Amino acid sequence: MAEHIPFAVASNLIHRLASADFHEFGRKYDVTEELEELKNTIESINDVLLDADDKQEQARVRVWIRRFKEVLHVADDFLDDLAIEFMRHKLDEERRTEVTKVLYPFSSSNRIDFPIQMAEEIKRTRESFDAVVKDMYKLNLSPRSGAVKQTNSEWRETCSFVLESDIIGRDDSKKEIISLLKQPCENRKVSVIAVVGLGGLGKTTLAQLVYNDLEAQGFFEKQMWVCVSDNFDVKTILKKILESITDCQRQDQSLEKMQRELHTNLRGKKYLLVLDDIWNERHDKWAELKKYLMCGAQDSKILVTTRSENVAKATAASTSYPLKGLTDEESWSLLKNIAFEDNSKRVNQNLESMGKEIAKKCKGVPLAVKTLGGLLRGQNEESEWENVLHGDLWKLCEEQDSIMPILKLSYQKLLPEMRQCFAYCSLYPKDSEIPKDELIELWMAQGYLKCPTGKQNKEDIGNEFVKIFLMNSFFQDAKNNKYGEINSFKMHDLIHDLAMLVAGNDYCYLDSKAEKVEGSPMHVSLESEAIHLLDSLDESKLRTLIFWSDTEQELFANFKYLRVLKAPSSSFCKLFDSVGRLKHLRYLDIVDRYYSLSGVPLGLGNLCTLQFLSIFAVGAQETKYCTLNELKDLNLRGKLRINHLDRVRDVALESQNVNLKEKNSLQYLILNWSDDEEHRDIQTSDSLQLLENLQPHHNLKRLKVNYYPGELFPSWLSLLTNIVQISFFELYNCRCLPPLEGFQSLKSLQIVSLDELEYIYLREDGSALTFFSTLENLSLCSCEKLRGWRMLRDDINDSENSHHLSLLSFPRLSHVRLNCVPKLTCMPTFPTVKDLFMRRCSAEPFIATLNTPASPCSADSSSSAAPLSMLKELDISDSMNFPKGWMQDLTSLESLRIVLWESETLEEIETEFKDNTNCLANLRRITMDWCPSLKALPEWICNLSSLQRIEIFDCPELASLPEGMSRLTSLKTFEVERCSLLIKECRTETSAVSRQIAHIPQIILCDEF
């Protein structure tokens, strides 16, 4: 097996030795010359690592790499020790106190006698590389540059991986498989369809297309997706099925309990289960699984994807569907879309000729085409295309009957530092969603990311790496958040195989299949079934320890060189007495799913290299827990959640030195008081002071405050000039909020359950030009006393306030949710909204918006649009008193949801159609939900010529449909749930209702939840 080369560790070590901190250290202890010699030695080795990686077919080169890694990691730990002790020394000098020596006693044997031993220790470390350097020359390893053409920094996140333009030539296959899944199967209650094809052919992508299409149609009552991969464990698969049904992670349960729960969820329901990437060829194992799945209704289906026809036979599939490759034309189209960034430009004829040949050689395998397309992206030199076209990889692909050589070539073109980042991804289970921010933080914790200039931070470099991995198909299935930023992605199973291959024994994922640990891995992630293998890990080498599931296992504090620890709170609590010994820790993720973490142990504040801390829980009044002040000297980044702030009793003593305002890399802060009413007796003045002491740095991007018991907010809120998201939840004493409209980066504002809130104040000097200039999402929910926005002046009357508000408008607001805010009347208008949700609220904000003048379509547009003409989705409830003609400008509306309406016929809406028969001409979907008095579907619905879907939920009195239903020729789906009278009519073949819906292709009837 090839050895994994720690490119990023070596590069980071060189970078650290050249840093200002080590220069200061060298001057202070007169070891500058020794440190420079050490840096030069490591640099000379680092220069030949690429050449060594390419020569790993030679056994002696692999031996040399192993020796180098041993020496390098010992040196890295030693230099980290120096840096940590130097940081502590400086902190002690700043504190000018001996408190730390009392609270955090560290053995003197762990400390280096700086003045006496320093030069000798560094010299010995440098000499440990001498044998490595000597053998390097014997092996004739040559320096090589790692420069690789990388992505344009202006590259947009909306390129092919998000648009999925790679999905070419699968329409026919999708239709054929959907047809097979819809076919009745008289002799089998649950039948199996197997999609068979080579790795990388697109089986999973095709299954996803089928799954999503059927989900949209609502053909099956339940749909579940499970990635099985090569670990065919029945209990694990059943657990994943239940997780897919309930959409939440589950603890370990007995088979009997899971069977009962599965039957409860599936009994009598027609379901679709996708089992992706199956390798098991044993019929007995399949039979064991299948017996748990026979509880569904007739014509339930299981869709299996596999590389092997033998697997299809083992499942006793009723149909085996062999997936064909793309045609040569489709392959070239896919390659061209990815390789050429600007499709509007004509492609060089020679490149096109070579590109078509390359596409043809890929033999219709989409992953191979995408990988080579990413490799050739932006390469305009014909020689680069010739090298791929005439390279040795095609012969290797033939010999191995695999596209792995193509994937390896793409890997070898990565920057050296990126190779180690890619190998780290092998710690994630197959088919898992990889959170982007988490992965970047893990890379940072290992020192894999460095900033060549001061203009970018490490998170920026990590994001660039992620984009490159996506463009080159190392990552796929990217998901974006509501701001258009990448949230997560997956790895194709073949790409995951590549990651495991290049990771060697340095990175190790352990699950129920693992019987032993190979070698001495430095980075380990494991499932609960493999906990027993912890004892066999080398405590002197381990740098990453990740638990993917809950465990009560006691963690060993002897893993003293850990940089990353991700563990459940139950295990972390057993480290209380020894957490201070994990002094190299950079990343600590305490997974506290059930808010069971009772506090944080003393000594945490002495982990001066800690960069990422997922949660800090304020402890009860016990000496074993530390106070908020221990956060003072931690240079935290990323996201921090602070729980149980109600437990702070002496605000001045426990929180005066939290120092969050100096943590300029902290991006996301969540502050939680208790939601328990018995803890609400804390003095509101103390709460205000506590919140004052928790002031974050102005670089903060996201702030959530939950259950804060104070009446007022501190002034620092207005200083958060980079804030993107603000969320306030259950601030039960808060009567008013300070001005929020001036934030120039704010995109989302959520205000929920502020029982006493009456006004959100406006600055007196506020300008319409700067009023919430970037806000896109606004939620105001369960604020029964909220009247709206008001000028921050004592002498202003309601008339003046209303006039001022009439001049203000949210210029970019796209999504508005107003729920249970019955007194809300004083609100700026929202003419550009696209998604509007209004329940139990006044119609006045809506009416005021309708009455605003036409506004520009966009910031750079000269044309204008009527207010609410961009609205696509509207959710409304009864008693809103809309004015006549309120629908006429809703020209873009595609979805209308009518909820909690007391009328028998919805006549309030019918009046709109009397004057305008073309009203809501673009409406595609209409939903009626919880309309208890509705007896007949109104006739005006038959005027909606574009209607494609009707949904009716929980309307117990509804029993008839309008005669004009047949005019709805675009209608594709008619869904009725929990409407007993109407469902009975639909199922009676001779009824009028049955005749009225006979032309609709898909009818979904459901009696229960």
Side-chain angles (χ1 to χ4, degrees):
M1 178 184 283
E3 289 290 330
H4 177 72
I5 295 184
F7 293 105
V9 175
S11 179
N12 180 61
L13 204 51
I14 295 165
H15 186 68
R16 289 182 73 188
L17 285 166
S19 68
D21 285 344
F22 266 91
H23 276 257
E24 181 186 354
F25 177 85
R27 288 193 302 272
K28 186 173 181 69
Y29 296 104
D30 196 24
V31 290
T32 301
E33 188 175 330
E34 287 82 356
L35 290 173
E36 184 65 23
E37 287 180 5
L38 177 58
K39 179 173 77 71
N40 292 339
T41 300
I42 299 173
E43 276 182 334
S44 68
I45 300 171
N46 190 56
D47 289 342
V48 305
L49 290 180
L50 276 172
D51 193 40
D53 199 17
D54 286 347
K55 294 177 178 177
Q56 288 212 51
E57 72 278 359
Q58 300 177 32
R60 58 190 190 136
V61 173
R62 294 198 299 274
V63 171
W64 178 83
I65 293 170
R66 277 199 296 272
R67 186 180 301 126
F68 166 64
K69 287 198 297 187
E70 289 282 344
V71 174
L72 178 71
H73 288 118
V74 170
D76 189 34
D77 290 336
F78 166 67
L79 290 173
D80 211 38
D81 273 327
L82 293 189
I84 291 167
E85 295 300 338
F86 187 47
M87 287 171 66
R88 287 178 175 173
H89 181 69
K90 288 201 296 183
L91 288 173
D92 284 346
E93 284 185 341
E94 289 172 10
R95 294 166 182 160
R96 297 195 180 282
T97 176
E98 294 298 309
V99 171
T100 51
K101 294 179 182 177
V102 175
L103 290 181
Y104 320 119
F106 282 81
S107 169
S108 59
S109 63
N110 288 336
R111 291 181 175 267
I112 297 168
D113 191 343
F114 283 89
I116 301 171
Q117 299 180 16
M118 188 55 50
E120 279 300 313
E121 289 283 352
I122 296 172
K123 182 181 177 183
R124 277 197 292 273
T125 300
R126 184 190 59 75
E127 288 173 348
S128 67
F129 285 95
D130 285 349
V132 176
V133 173
K134 185 178 178 182
D135 287 345
M136 177 181 80
Y137 292 122
K138 288 180 181 178
L139 292 169
N140 293 319
L141 297 175
S142 306
R144 275 177 45 188
S145 168
V148 177
K149 180 177 174 63
Q150 296 301 332
T151 179
N152 185 331
S153 60
E154 297 300 315
W155 174 81
R156 299 179 303 122
E157 291 189 2
T158 53
C159 82
S160 59
F161 77 86
V162 174
L163 297 175
E164 291 297 346
S165 58
D166 348 4
I167 304 175
I168 289 174
R170 292 306 188 203
D171 285 344
D172 289 343
S173 294
K174 183 182 82 170
K175 290 174 184 175
E176 289 167 3
I177 293 174
I178 287 176
S179 176
L180 289 171
L181 291 171
K182 286 184 173 182
Q183 284 178 10
C185 190
E186 295 179 4
N187 58 343
R188 294 187 187 182
K189 190 175 186 181
V190 179
S191 56
V192 180
I193 311 292
V195 179
V196 183
L198 293 171
L201 204 55
K203 300 181 297 296
T204 299
T205 301
L206 177 59
Q208 287 170 339
L209 292 173
V210 168
Y211 186 93
N212 293 338
D213 202 298
L214 287 169
E215 191 170 46
Q217 293 180 27
F219 184 81
F220 291 96
E221 294 172 85
K222 290 279 186 184
Q223 289 193 193
M224 300 148 286
W225 181 287
V226 173
C227 176
V228 179
S229 198
D230 51 356
N231 183 19
F232 196 93
D233 178 73
V234 171
K235 189 175 180 181
T236 301
I237 294 170
L238 291 177
K239 180 183 174 187
K240 288 182 177 181
I241 291 173
L242 287 170
E243 287 175 345
S244 181
I245 292 172
T246 60
D247 198 27
C248 62
Q249 200 168 26
R250 310 180 68 83
Q251 290 183 295
D252 283 339
Q253 294 175 307
S254 67
L255 272 171
E256 185 181 354
K257 190 170 183 180
M258 283 195 285
Q259 181 181 20
R260 285 200 303 270
E261 192 168 348
L262 199 62
H263 278 226
T264 300
N265 281 282
L266 298 183
R267 186 184 296 114
K269 290 185 172 64
K270 185 165 70 172
Y271 70 77
L272 170 65
L273 170 62
V274 177
L275 296 176
D276 185 38
D277 192 26
I278 290 190
W279 290 76
N280 168 59
E281 296 184 356
R282 287 176 51 183
H283 179 73
D284 58 330
K285 278 195 167 188
W286 173 254
E288 184 188 353
L289 172 65
K290 198 171 180 181
K291 71 182 181 183
Y292 294 103
L293 303 174
M294 301 308 293
C295 52
Q298 182 70 33
D299 295 330
S300 292
K301 296 290 195 298
I302 299 173
L303 180 63
V304 166
T305 71
T306 179
R307 299 183 199 176
S308 168
E309 186 62 47
N310 289 335
V311 172
K313 290 176 182 176
T315 64
S318 58
T319 304
S320 179
Y321 185 93
L323 185 60
K324 298 174 183 176
L326 303 179
T327 65
D328 292 347
E329 291 78 14
E330 290 165 345
S331 295
W332 164 237
S333 177
L334 177 55
L335 182 73
K336 184 170 67 171
N337 284 349
I338 298 172
F340 297 100
E341 298 170 275
D342 189 353
N343 287 325
S344 62
K345 289 184 180 179
R346 186 178 175 131
V347 177
N348 174 297
Q349 198 165 5
N350 289 340
L351 294 185
E352 179 170 350
S353 177
M354 286 188 282
K356 287 181 176 179
E357 286 297 312
I358 290 170
K360 186 176 182 180
K361 282 176 173 281
C362 289
K363 296 186 175 179
V365 180
L367 183 60
V369 177
K370 289 194 291 181
T371 300
L372 291 178
L375 188 65
L376 294 168
R377 186 182 181 89
Q379 301 284 2
N380 295 318
E381 295 291 331
E382 291 184 15
S383 59
E384 295 287 343
W385 291 67
E386 286 174 353
N387 289 339
V388 172
L389 179 59
H390 301 299
D392 294 335
L393 75 157
W394 306 110
K395 183 180 178 183
L396 293 171
C397 288
E398 290 282 348
E399 292 173 353
Q400 298 177 22
D401 193 23
S402 166
I403 66 167
M404 189 58 77
I406 293 175
L407 306 183
K408 279 186 185 176
L409 176 64
S410 187
Y411 166 78
Q412 288 161 358
K413 293 292 184 181
L414 292 172
L415 281 170
E417 293 86 350
M418 291 186 68
R419 298 187 193 186
Q420 198 155 9
C421 290
F422 174 66
Y424 202 87
C425 298
S426 65
L427 295 177
Y428 283 90
K430 271 192 176 181
D431 197 52
S432 61
E433 275 197 18
I434 302 176
K436 182 201 70 174
D437 290 343
E438 176 185 88
L439 180 61
I440 291 173
E441 289 168 3
L442 293 171
W443 288 342
M444 289 173 62
Q446 297 298 338
Y448 292 171
L449 305 179
K450 69 176 190 295
C451 301
T453 67
K455 294 181 180 179
Q456 287 182 302
N457 57 38
K458 292 180 180 180
E459 285 87 353
D460 294 332
I461 302 297
N463 276 297
E464 283 298 310
F465 282 13
V466 167
K467 291 175 184 178
I468 294 167
F469 284 134
L470 281 162
M471 284 187 351
N472 289 281
S473 298
F474 288 99
F475 296 157
Q476 63 182 33
D477 299 337
K479 290 184 178 178
N480 288 2
N481 62 19
K482 58 186 175 184
Y483 310 118
E485 301 163 340
I486 300 167
N487 245 1
S488 64
F489 35 79
K490 290 186 175 183
M491 296 170 70
H492 189 281
D493 57 337
L494 275 178
I495 296 290
H496 193 279
D497 290 344
L498 175 65
M500 295 180 69
L501 181 68
V502 301
N505 289 331
D506 288 353
Y507 301 83
C508 185
Y509 166 72
L510 303 171
D511 61 6
S512 59
K513 262 194 350 173
E515 296 178 358
K516 65 175 183 176
V517 177
E518 298 290 342
S520 299
M522 302 180 66
H523 309 278
V524 172
S525 70
L526 65 170
E527 304 288 355
S528 56
E529 300 90 347
I531 292 295
H532 62 283
L533 295 174
L534 269 178
D535 292 334
S536 58
L537 297 176
D538 187 340
E539 62 188 39
S540 67
K541 289 189 175 182
L542 200 64
R543 290 178 171 226
T544 298
L545 184 57
I546 295 174
F547 293 88
W548 292 121
S549 47
D550 288 343
T551 175
E552 294 295 323
Q553 177 74 27
E554 182 173 350
L555 298 175
F556 297 100
N558 294 333
F559 297 134
K560 62 180 180 179
Y561 292 112
L562 279 179
R563 267 66 166 177
V564 166
L565 175 60
K566 178 173 183 167
S569 56
S570 54
S571 291
F572 177 74
C573 289
K574 297 176 182 179
L575 271 174
F576 263 41
D577 296 333
S578 51
V579 71
R581 292 207 293 271
L582 302 176
K583 63 178 181 177
H584 295 270
L585 209 57
R586 265 76 168 174
Y587 179 101
L588 177 56
D589 184 1
I590 309 164
V591 183
D592 190 27
R593 291 195 182 93
Y594 310 107
Y595 293 92
S596 58
L597 186 64
S598 54
V600 176
L602 290 168
L604 185 80
N606 213 42
L607 302 179
C608 55
T609 61
L610 192 64
Q611 300 174 39
F612 301 100
L613 176 64
S614 63
I615 185 171
F616 184 101
V618 178
Q621 297 301 300
E622 297 180 40
T623 55
K624 66 178 180 178
Y625 300 123
C626 67
T627 69
L628 286 165
N629 288 329
E630 287 220 28
L631 294 173
K632 177 186 176 184
D633 296 318
L634 299 182
N635 189 22
L636 298 177
R637 314 175 73 106
K639 178 180 177 181
L640 172 64
R641 176 193 298 269
I642 303 179
N643 282 352
H644 303 305
L645 284 163
D646 48 284
R647 292 177 180 171
V648 176
R649 293 303 171 192
D650 191 329
V651 171
L653 180 65
E654 297 179 44
S655 67
Q656 192 170 359
N657 298 314
V658 181
N659 205 27
L660 294 184
K661 62 184 175 184
E662 297 299 324
K663 305 184 194 312
N664 59 6
S665 294
L666 197 63
Q667 300 288 297
Y668 190 177
L669 180 62
I670 302 173
L671 303 175
N672 286 330
W673 277 258
S674 174
D675 61 343
D676 191 345
E677 289 192 17
E678 69 180 71
H679 290 103
R680 294 186 178 184
D681 58 348
I682 185 170
Q683 294 295 316
T684 57
S685 58
D686 286 347
S687 297
L688 178 61
Q689 185 58 55
L690 176 56
L691 194 54
E692 185 76 61
N693 293 348
L694 294 172
Q695 175 182 349
H697 191 275
H698 60 77
N699 282 350
L700 192 77
K701 290 187 176 178
R702 296 181 183 176
L703 174 68
K704 287 189 176 183
V705 181
N706 301 323
Y707 309 110
Y708 168 61
E711 294 181 8
L712 302 172
F713 263 81
S715 58
W716 59 251
L717 190 63
S718 61
L719 302 177
L720 302 179
T721 52
N722 293 292
I723 199 76
V724 172
Q725 177 186 352
I726 295 176
S727 173
F728 299 132
F729 181 74
E730 284 210 26
L731 315 186
Y732 44 84
N733 288 323
C734 184
R735 295 182 180 276
C736 61
L737 290 175
L740 303 170
E741 72 276 6
F743 295 120
Q744 297 304 297
S745 299
L746 186 65
K747 292 185 177 181
S748 175
L749 175 61
Q750 187 176 36
I751 300 173
V752 180
S753 297
L754 272 65
D755 298 344
E756 301 297 323
L757 180 66
E758 293 186 32
Y759 290 107
I760 303 169
Y761 281 112
L762 295 166
R763 286 191 181 88
E764 186 178 348
D765 58 350
S767 164
L769 295 175
T770 58
F771 181 80
F772 285 109
S773 59
T774 56
L775 193 68
E776 297 174 2
N777 296 274
L778 174 66
S779 292
L780 302 173
C781 302
S782 300
C783 300
E784 300 276 351
K785 297 182 180 180
L786 179 62
R787 297 179 182 275
W789 275 257
R790 189 174 182 82
M791 293 292 292
L792 192 58
R793 263 173 48 199
D794 293 334
D795 60 337
I796 193 167
N797 59 44
D798 289 343
S799 177
E800 288 179 285
N801 192 61
S802 296
H803 174 70
H804 184 75
L805 284 177
S806 69
L807 303 176
L808 296 177
S809 177
F810 295 99
R812 292 180 179 271
L813 201 56
S814 298
H815 307 278
V816 176
R817 186 178 183 88
L818 306 176
N819 188 18
C820 297
V821 281
K823 295 184 178 180
L824 178 65
T825 56
C826 304
M827 181 174 177
T829 59
F830 38 87
T832 62
V833 71
K834 295 178 181 176
D835 177 10
L836 177 59
F837 179 105
M838 300 182 73
R839 299 254 185 98
R840 286 196 59 210
C841 62
S842 165
E844 287 192 37
F846 184 86
I847 296 168
T849 299
L850 279 176
N851 293 331
T852 56
S855 58
C857 294
S858 63
D860 54 356
S861 172
S862 58
S863 59
S864 61
L868 299 178
S869 61
M870 299 180 196
L871 185 63
K872 290 183 178 294
E873 297 184 30
L874 177 62
D875 188 315
I876 53 174
S877 61
D878 199 1
S879 306
M880 294 195 63
N881 299 319
F882 290 116
K884 185 177 181 181
W886 66 277
M887 284 186 179
Q888 66 183 14
D889 288 331
L890 307 186
T891 53
S892 298
L893 195 69
E894 295 178 359
S895 174
L896 174 63
R897 187 179 186 91
I898 300 168
V899 186
L900 296 171
W901 214 277
E902 295 296 334
S903 165
E904 292 185 6
T905 60
L906 303 179
E907 65 274 3
E908 300 91 337
I909 297 178
E910 186 172 8
T911 56
E912 295 297 312
F913 288 88
K914 290 180 179 178
D915 299 327
N916 182 5
T917 55
N918 289 324
C919 192
L920 305 184
N922 288 308
L923 198 71
R924 305 284 191 271
R925 176 197 298 248
I926 189 166
T927 305
M928 277 146 280
D929 193 357
W930 289 101
C931 301
S933 303
L934 185 64
K935 293 186 176 180
L937 209 61
E939 189 67 38
W940 56 260
I941 281 182
C942 302
N943 295 333
L944 302 172
S945 58
S946 298
L947 203 61
Q948 296 178 6
R949 187 179 186 100
I950 295 177
E951 298 172 337
I952 307 171
F953 307 136
D954 298 292
C955 300
E957 299 297 318
L958 183 60
S960 65
L961 301 177
E963 278 301 320
M965 286 287 289
S966 59
R967 300 204 306 269
L968 297 175
T969 55
S970 299
L971 195 60
K972 296 178 181 178
T973 304
F974 183 72
E975 182 175 2
V976 184
E977 294 187 13
R978 298 174 301 280
C979 306
S980 56
L981 297 180
L982 184 60
I983 289 175
K984 182 180 179 181
E985 294 297 312
C986 290
R987 287 173 173 164
T988 303
E989 293 184 8
T990 56
S991 72
V993 169
S994 181
R995 172 180 53 80
Q996 290 162 339
I997 62 175
H999 68 291
I1000 305 172
Q1002 183 177 28
I1003 297 171
I1004 302 171
L1005 306 174
C1006 182
D1007 297 300
E1008 56 188 44
F1009 279 101

